[in-house]
Amino acid sequence: MLRAGPLSHLPARVSIREVGPRDGLQNEDVILSTAQKIALITCLAETGVRHIEVGAFVHPRVVPQMADTAEVFARIERKPGIVYSAIVPNVKGAQRAIAAGADAIQVFLSASESHNRSNVNMSIEDSLRQAAEIAQVVRGAGKLFDAVISVVFGCPFEGDVPLERVLEIARRLVDLGAARLTLGDTTGMAHPRLVQEVFLAFAEHLPRVPVRFHPHSARGAGLANVLAALEVGVTRFDASVGGIGGCPFAPGAPGNVCTEDMVHMFHEMGIETGIDLPRLIACARNLEALLGHELPGQTIKAGICGHLGPSGQPRAADQRAVSA
Ligand code: ZN
């Protein structure tokens, strides 16, 4: 028997953080020049997105794609109202991010020991100790201290991740002063039921902490998981222009959920994002040319559905070239 579902009670507006310049480019083989990165960020800033993850202050030997993050920060023209953020693995990175003028600084650690060791070569406990030092430096400088917990919905080494452990790590990060938490489906292992279970547990145990969903699409469930999160009231999402990023644990599989696809779905559902979709598609097209390979995003190929969208642009508008 068909019946009306919870889709009738969805939030009217969501906020999307664009992570392409960091999480996306970090996993691409082609390394863009500083000027190309600046052009990408400038293009994205024109779309109406309010938060852009600019780069990472990590060792250039580990992540050569992010070696010029300080220079990118120095040279981008800041648009008022946009949060330009960075991720850091340690205190030195945090100091560099502060010196570069990042508005928000995010630490990252994994919900599973094996993934944390493989990613940052230390135990979760050591990562939390590190996070405490970073928090002090970042908050002392008056910047927003943010945290992302990776592999919340499944670990490529350990499989299921106990929710109690995720909540415990989250509580520790909140005690350190994390203003927001991002829950990452880092390798695309989530499914809609699990997504709702995790976010409902956060709503119950940490009701005052804003949580953001960082979905991945390695197994094609990205947008289904976004919808599941939306149904239980999540309004903050990460996405990557063009769907760039890939998945380091599954070569060839898509990585981050594509921003245009996410925005397109929200707009068709009548949910506001504040993002101009045709402009965003133009950014993705420019990026596709720079990277020299087909991007995983679907809307860039299919175009915007055939009617006037919330941005008031007719369908043909997504075909126009916008220089970046
Ligand atoms: Zn990601």
Side-chain angles (χ1 to χ4, degrees), residues 19 22-23 27 185-186 214-216 246 255-256:
V19 300
R22 199 284 299 174
D23 194 10
N27 289 300
D185 180 23
T186 317
H214 181 97
H216 270 228
N256 296 292

Side-chain angles (χ1 to χ4, degrees), residues 149-196:
I149 309 176
S150 304
V151 298
V152 165
F153 305 87
C155 167
F157 308 112
E158 296 179 18
D160 292 346
V161 173
L163 185 48
E164 200 35 63
R165 190 199 297 157
V166 178
L167 285 166
E168 182 51 33
I169 295 170
R171 282 187 200 101
R172 300 268 300 271
L173 290 166
V174 170
D175 288 345
L176 296 178
R180 288 196 189 94
L181 296 175
T182 299
L183 306 185
D185 180 23
T186 317
T187 55
M189 294 171 76
H191 58 80
R193 226 182 251 282
L194 178 61
V195 166
Q196 296 201 341

Side-chain angles (χ1 to χ4, degrees), residues 293-318:
H293 66 79
E294 194 183 305
L295 302 187
Q298 300 297 304
T299 308
I300 190 176
K301 303 173 188 98
I304 302 172
C305 281
H307 61 81
L308 287 173
S311 64
Q313 304 277 5
R315 184 182 183 187
D318 78 296

